[in-house]
Amino acid sequence: MSEIRTCGIVVPTDWVPLPLEPSDDVKGWAKGTATELRDRSRAAGYELDRSTLRRDLRVRAEDSRSRDPFYAFALYPDGFDTALATLEVDLIYPDEAVPRITLDWLAETFSADDFGTPEITRTELPVGPAVRIRQNFAADDPPPRGPGILMETLTYGIRPTGSEGAVMVLVSWTVPGLTQEMEEAADGIAQTLTVEF
């Protein structure tokens, strides 16, 4: 068995890669990316508020950086100055606490029944067997008044063939009414995953 050195994933162009390296200038990146996204939306016939977009980009990047994933992306379709979803990819390796990573362990570790029983299925991706977990959580930082915010998630825990490690792909969103579209997007993106040993 080999250790995963790196992995790749293909996302549509409206998924913006987030800066994750400690040396990255998040403020400068947010400013430049906000201008690019505003110009792209303007060409499609939408007018966006650049300061709202810049602030949202910075918050999304800082939030993902706090978890230190391998990759992170935020979904900004034309006409939206806040991200509709976040996608993060991470690598997990066996250690003393978890000497062997299995699909059962991934399903148990990465699922919760906060809002009902998670939907867990096994599937086969081009890189190897996977567990697909669809579930809902209460979003962090609920508004001070009114009901909390529901965060919907779709997680893939993938055991690439020939590896002892696993690749986690997590897509999360809080905008109501996007469930089918987000699941289809996540399922399609998971199919593009590649790994190198």
Side-chain angles (χ1 to χ4, degrees):
M1 292 285 187
S2 301
E3 186 172 300
I4 302 167
R5 278 195 348 232
T6 188
C7 67
I9 198 161
V10 178
V11 297
T13 56
D14 50 3
W15 288 89
V16 175
L18 302 176
L20 301 174
E21 294 299 318
S23 59
D24 288 335
D25 172 15
V26 176
K27 287 178 95 175
W29 166 84
K31 183 177 179 183
T33 304
T35 300
E36 290 173 20
L37 292 176
R38 186 196 61 190
D39 292 347
R40 186 185 79 189
S41 279
R42 186 177 284 160
Y46 302 100
E47 199 59 46
L48 299 181
D49 179 51
R50 194 174 66 166
S51 63
T52 300
L53 191 51
R54 186 174 61 236
R55 190 168 38 255
D56 192 70
L57 284 160
R58 194 171 62 244
V59 166
R60 297 286 177 160
E62 289 169 354
D63 180 55
S64 282
R65 288 162 68 97
S66 72
R67 288 182 293 280
D68 194 29
F70 196 77
Y71 296 121
F73 302 86
L75 176 61
Y76 288 93
D78 289 338
F80 289 86
D81 56 12
T82 57
L84 297 185
T86 301
L87 183 151
E88 293 179 350
V89 177
D90 214 350
L91 304 178
I92 299 175
Y93 301 104
D95 58 21
E96 289 181 11
V98 184
R100 186 166 175 265
I101 296 175
T102 65
L103 292 182
D104 287 339
W105 180 84
L106 292 169
E108 183 180 325
T109 302
F110 292 94
S111 64
D113 55 3
D114 291 14
F115 287 91
T117 305
E119 298 171 21
I120 301 173
T121 54
R122 290 191 181 221
T123 187
E124 193 72 31
L125 295 177
V127 295
V131 61
R132 181 186 187 273
I133 307 164
R134 173 67 183 88
Q135 60 192 332
N136 299 327
F137 296 96
D140 292 337
D141 302 322
R145 295 190 184 121
I149 298 173
L150 182 70
M151 180 172 66
E152 300 185 65
T153 67
L154 178 55
T155 304
Y156 273 91
I158 305 130
R159 284 289 321 277
T161 302
S163 171
E164 294 178 353
V167 179
M168 301 303 298
V169 177
L170 169 66
V171 178
S172 60
W173 64 97
T174 58
V175 179
L178 292 182
T179 303
Q180 182 175 345
E181 292 85 350
M182 293 312 308
E183 286 192 34
E184 288 173 0
D187 291 339
I189 290 169
Q191 291 286 333
T192 72
L193 183 73
T194 58
V195 296
E196 289 183 16
F197 302 113

